[in-house]
Amino acid sequence: MTTTAEKDAVVANTSRIHPTTLWQQSWIMVKRNMIHTRRMPEMLSDVTIQPIMFVVLFAYVFGASIQTDSASYKEFLLPGIMGQTIVFTAFIVASGITADLEKGIIDRFRSLPIRRSSVLIGRSIASVMHSSIGIVVMSLTGLAIGWRIRGSFVDAVLAYCLLLLFGFAMIWFGILIGSWLRTVEAVNGFMFSTLFPITFLSNAFVPTDPMPTWLRTIAEWNPMSSLVQALRVLWGNGPEFGPGSALPLQHPVISTIIWAVALTLVFAPFALRAYNKRTID
């Protein structure tokens, strides 16, 4: 039987607990996810080993047979690889959310005095940080094989900011798929069957000019193509497109910003609804 003194002690201890803000709760979730990465460094293989393999294979195996308007195929390739990596941020988010839901970790979080949105915010920030590691690794790899940033410092920073902005938009797609599908295996299969065609059916690895007209139209209006062309223009890795090209490629920076905002506005409401429904059921 609890005595009055013990009850008073519990009340006193509770009164000393200060409520945390949404940012503090989200940062705790970020640290939780990054601790997992530190303890299991093999989780970084998708943003370290795989991008390096893509760079080396495409640059030295396929590069000699692909004609581009850039100074070299390596300078044409690096923006495409970086765009692919940031698009795959959705993959990381979806797999992480599904794994937490499948293991019941989200249910444990619901029993804590934290806001439900802090879990999503923390996961999203951690995923962007995860992908940013890949961007840094590829930048260093590119410099080692001859890739150079030939634009101004401001343009170079703007290009990296566009990568993060587009990655933020893809996060909502990842949240939607991770909340919708029930197993990590299903997420892996769905993401591979959707993200790989999106990244390859673009100007990321090959020019769109030799493509059939109908396929070229699809590739040039692919948001991935706008992002990659914006990176090439800002980094000085390729020429700007004239009036004969698709409108997004004529104005790639503005087009990328519009695409990122539009994708966020489309995916975010459905993602939040799917996540709320999944965590309530």
Side-chain angles (χ1 to χ4, degrees):
M1 185 174 180
T2 305
T3 64
T4 303
E6 291 173 337
K7 291 180 180 180
D8 292 339
V10 171
V11 172
N13 289 332
T14 304
S15 64
R16 288 195 294 266
I17 299 177
H18 299 285
T20 56
T21 63
L22 175 61
W23 168 248
Q24 290 172 321
Q25 295 166 10
S26 302
W27 184 243
I28 291 173
M29 294 299 168
V30 172
K31 291 194 291 185
R32 166 191 173 259
N33 292 308
M34 299 312 293
I35 287 173
H36 284 179
T37 303
R38 186 182 65 185
R39 292 178 177 176
M40 294 181 290
E42 63 272 13
M43 294 175 61
L44 291 174
S45 63
D46 59 334
V47 292
T48 53
I49 298 176
Q50 291 181 18
I52 292 175
M53 290 176 58
F54 267 102
V55 171
V56 173
L57 287 175
F58 274 87
Y60 293 103
V61 177
F62 303 111
S65 60
I66 298 177
Q67 300 296 321
T68 68
D69 294 331
S70 302
S72 68
Y73 182 69
K74 295 171 185 176
E75 294 194 356
F76 180 89
L77 174 66
L78 259 295
I81 295 287
M82 292 188 186
Q84 182 191 53
T85 300
I86 208 67
V87 166
F88 271 70
T89 302
F91 203 135
I92 302 168
V93 175
S95 300
I97 289 178
T98 304
D100 287 347
L101 288 167
E102 192 176 12
K103 296 175 183 177
I105 295 176
I106 300 297
D107 292 331
R108 298 179 187 177
F109 289 154
R110 290 174 59 193
S111 65
L112 299 175
I114 61 174
R115 298 185 187 181
R116 190 184 306 174
S117 58
S118 65
V119 180
L120 290 181
I121 295 173
R123 170 66 67 179
S124 301
I125 294 175
S127 298
V128 171
M129 294 171 64
H130 185 92
S131 297
S132 298
I133 295 174
I135 298 300
V136 173
V137 170
M138 281 184 295
S139 297
L140 296 176
T141 304
L143 292 173
I145 65 172
W147 169 72
R148 295 294 183 268
I149 296 178
R150 304 185 185 280
S152 67
F153 175 79
V154 174
D155 287 344
V157 173
L158 177 58
Y160 283 108
C161 289
L162 285 179
L163 280 170
L164 296 180
L165 178 64
F166 201 85
F168 177 77
M170 295 306 300
I171 281 172
W172 292 108
F173 179 67
I175 293 173
L176 174 61
I177 301 305
S179 304
W180 176 41
L181 299 179
R182 297 285 174 174
T183 64
V184 176
E185 291 77 13
V187 169
N188 291 339
F190 184 88
M191 285 302 196
F192 270 111
S193 62
T194 54
L195 295 184
F196 263 101
I198 289 174
T199 55
F200 279 91
L201 187 55
S202 68
N203 62 355
F205 303 103
V206 295
T208 58
D209 293 339
M211 297 181 182
T213 303
W214 65 272
L215 190 62
R216 176 183 176 182
T217 302
I218 295 174
E220 290 184 344
W221 282 89
N222 184 346
M224 175 77 174
S225 294
S226 298
L227 172 64
V228 174
Q229 178 60 18
L231 299 180
R232 289 181 181 137
V233 170
L234 292 172
W235 285 334
N237 295 151
E240 299 185 17
F241 284 87
S245 303
L247 188 61
L249 299 186
Q250 296 179 40
H251 310 282
V253 176
I254 298 298
S255 298
T256 301
I257 295 174
I258 293 174
W259 273 121
V261 173
L263 292 174
T264 301
L265 292 177
V266 170
F267 289 130
F270 292 104
L272 292 174
R273 186 180 305 173
Y275 179 78
N276 290 333
K277 186 177 184 299
R278 181 75 180 275
T279 55
I280 291 174
D281 292 343

